């Protein structure tokens, strides 16, 4: 087996692992939130059951929609799945893509999600799309700035170079720039995945919905694709935090023991981050829409401080 073939197979295995775990990550967040609120909550595997239920149903599509609405579920799922196969999580030995390209892929899915909400021709769909467009436009500069700060750490925008540098630097976990990048990426994870304080992912109040308003007209198989795409995007963002910003424990060689340890540690880090999201969502209320720019602006300032810190450190 050639080295290129091995790298492709490793990337396929890592991507399939992420896609398989994604509904469970959402289930962990829901379960922890329910426990914190004194409820039993849905089973951890409820996400898998919901997806199977939607797949069995036929999609009902309005006559006023165009090809954009019909294509959007496939684009939302396809872009997030593509990002899952292009990022390392268990090991750093697979085929990888530039982080700027990964960011572009995720934005492309968001763009089709926004367009599908507008194409449905409903008031709530248009309202949710306009809100999502505003939040995404404010979140992207924070993502790019934090990414550049992280790229200065490894001297490249490729995940492998960043991970190798962090793993090879003694006491890298004490680097203030990495801590600031972690905070920025965590904020972007909340903003890009319709989590508190930016959105309530389980609300049924039309006037406060953002993400749910955009997918309100989807049903059946289309809704299943939208749901698994949303779950996958959340897990991809958490994997970026777990693998690039906190890469310790990743397998650096293709042996059974190293891969098993890397898998267990990656799952542990992703689930810890999921629990952290549940704690954040259980400790605050949804923010007023007009205050969202201030919070994302604060995230950009944090990312910029990390970038400036890395620039001075590289002089």
């Amino acid at each position: 087996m050639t080295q290129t073939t091995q790298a492709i197979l490793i990337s396929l295995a890592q991507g399939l692992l992420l896609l398989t775990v994604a509904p469970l990550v959402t289930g962990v967040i829901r379960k922890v939130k329910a426990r914190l609120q004194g409820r039993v909550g849905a089973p951890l595997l409820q996400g898998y059951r919901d997806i199977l239920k939607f797949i069995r149903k036929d999609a009902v599509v309005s006559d006023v929609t165009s090809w954009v609405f019909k294509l959007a579920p496939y684009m939302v799922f396809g872009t997030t799945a593509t990002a899952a196969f292009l990022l390392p999580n268990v090991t750093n030995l697979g085929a990888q893509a530039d982080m700027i390209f990964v960011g572009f892929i995720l934005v492309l899915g968001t763009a089709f999600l926004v367009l599908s909400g507008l194409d449905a021709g409903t008031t709530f769909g248009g309202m949710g799309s306009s809100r999502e467009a505003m939040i995404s436009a404010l979140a992207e500069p924070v993502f790019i700035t934090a990414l550049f700060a992280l790229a200065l750490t490894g001297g490249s925008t490729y995940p492998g170079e960043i991970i190798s540098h962090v793993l090879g630097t003694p006491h890298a976990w004490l680097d203030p720039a990495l801590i600031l990048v972690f905070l920025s990426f965590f904020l972007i994870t909340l903003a890009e995945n319709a989590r508190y304080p930016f959105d309530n992912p389980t609300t049924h109040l039309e006037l406060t919905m953002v993400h749910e308003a955009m997918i309100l007209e989807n049903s059946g198989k289309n809704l299943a694709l939208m749901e698994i795409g949303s779950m996958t995007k959340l897990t991809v963002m958490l994997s970026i935090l777990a693998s690039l910003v906190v890469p310790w424990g990743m397998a650096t060689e293709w042996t059974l023991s190293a891969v098993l340890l890397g898998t267990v540690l990656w799952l542990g880090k992703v689930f810890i981050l999921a629990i952290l999201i549940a704690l954040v969502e259980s400790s605050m209320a949804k923010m007023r829409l007009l205050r969202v720019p201030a919070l994302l602006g604060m995230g950009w300032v944090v990312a910029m401080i990390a970038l400036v810190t890395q620039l001075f450190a590289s002089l």
Side-chain angles (χ1 to χ4, degrees):
M1 183 185 298
T2 63
Q3 187 174 1
T4 302
T5 304
Q6 183 183 13
I8 293 174
L9 291 177
I10 292 172
S11 295
L12 289 174
Q14 292 187 118
L16 289 174
L17 174 64
L18 192 148
L19 288 172
T20 304
V21 171
L24 182 59
V25 173
T26 302
V28 169
I29 296 176
R30 293 172 179 172
K31 192 69 172 181
V32 173
K33 285 179 63 177
R35 289 296 186 181
L36 291 173
Q37 296 168 5
R39 299 183 288 108
V40 176
L44 289 174
L45 302 181
Q46 186 62 44
Y48 299 97
R49 298 174 181 175
D50 291 340
I51 292 171
L52 291 176
K53 177 181 67 175
F54 295 145
I55 289 176
R56 297 192 191 102
K57 297 179 180 292
D58 293 329
V60 178
V61 181
S62 172
D63 294 335
V64 303
T65 58
S66 67
W67 61 269
V68 174
F69 184 85
K70 300 178 180 66
L71 180 63
Y74 299 93
M75 290 298 298
V76 170
F77 171 71
T79 52
T80 54
T82 301
F85 286 106
L86 295 178
L87 289 172
N89 45 48
V90 173
T91 178
N92 193 26
L93 302 176
Q96 301 168 15
D98 190 288
M99 283 300 298
I100 296 178
F101 177 74
V102 173
F104 170 77
I105 289 292
L106 294 175
V107 169
L108 181 62
T110 302
F112 269 90
L113 180 62
V114 170
L115 290 175
S116 70
L118 292 172
D119 193 53
T122 64
T123 303
F124 293 125
M127 180 180 63
S129 294
S130 63
R131 291 174 175 177
E132 177 65 21
M134 183 198 75
I135 294 174
S136 182
L138 294 172
E140 291 309 316
V142 186
F143 178 85
I144 293 297
T145 305
L147 175 60
F148 284 162
L150 194 59
L152 284 176
T153 301
S156 173
T157 54
Y158 276 84
E161 298 294 333
I162 298 172
I163 294 169
S164 298
H165 180 82
V166 174
L167 290 177
T169 303
H171 307 294
W173 57 277
L174 294 175
D175 188 350
L178 275 182
I179 297 174
L180 295 175
V181 167
F182 178 87
L183 294 175
S184 299
F185 268 122
F186 186 76
L187 182 66
I188 292 304
T189 300
L190 299 178
E192 290 284 358
N193 291 278
R195 314 302 308 191
Y196 278 95
F198 301 96
D199 188 19
N200 182 355
T202 60
T203 185
H204 296 290
L205 300 175
E206 289 87 350
L207 294 178
T208 64
M209 289 193 297
V210 180
H211 178 268
E212 292 299 315
M214 291 184 292
I215 67 173
L216 203 59
E217 295 299 315
N218 288 274
S219 59
K221 298 177 179 63
N222 291 343
L223 183 58
L225 290 172
M226 286 291 193
E227 290 291 341
I228 189 61
S230 176
M231 295 174 182
T232 304
K233 183 178 180 180
L234 173 61
T235 310
V236 164
M237 299 292 288
L238 293 180
S239 185
I240 291 175
L241 279 168
S243 302
L244 269 69
V245 187
V246 192
W248 294 278
M250 291 187 68
T252 56
E253 55 184 11
W254 192 243
T255 61
L256 180 60
S257 58
V259 170
L260 288 177
L261 179 61
T263 302
V264 171
L265 291 178
W266 177 76
L267 290 173
K269 288 184 286 187
V270 168
F271 287 139
I272 288 173
L273 290 170
I275 293 172
L276 182 59
I277 289 178
L279 292 174
V280 170
E281 294 191 347
S282 299
S283 60
M284 63 175 59
K286 182 180 178 296
M287 181 177 291
R288 291 177 58 191
L289 188 65
L290 295 179
R291 293 190 177 182
V292 168
L295 181 58
L296 290 175
M298 186 184 303
W300 180 82
V301 170
V302 172
M304 183 58 69
I305 293 174
L307 178 62
V308 172
T309 302
Q310 288 293 61
L311 283 173
F312 278 107
S314 61
L315 294 178

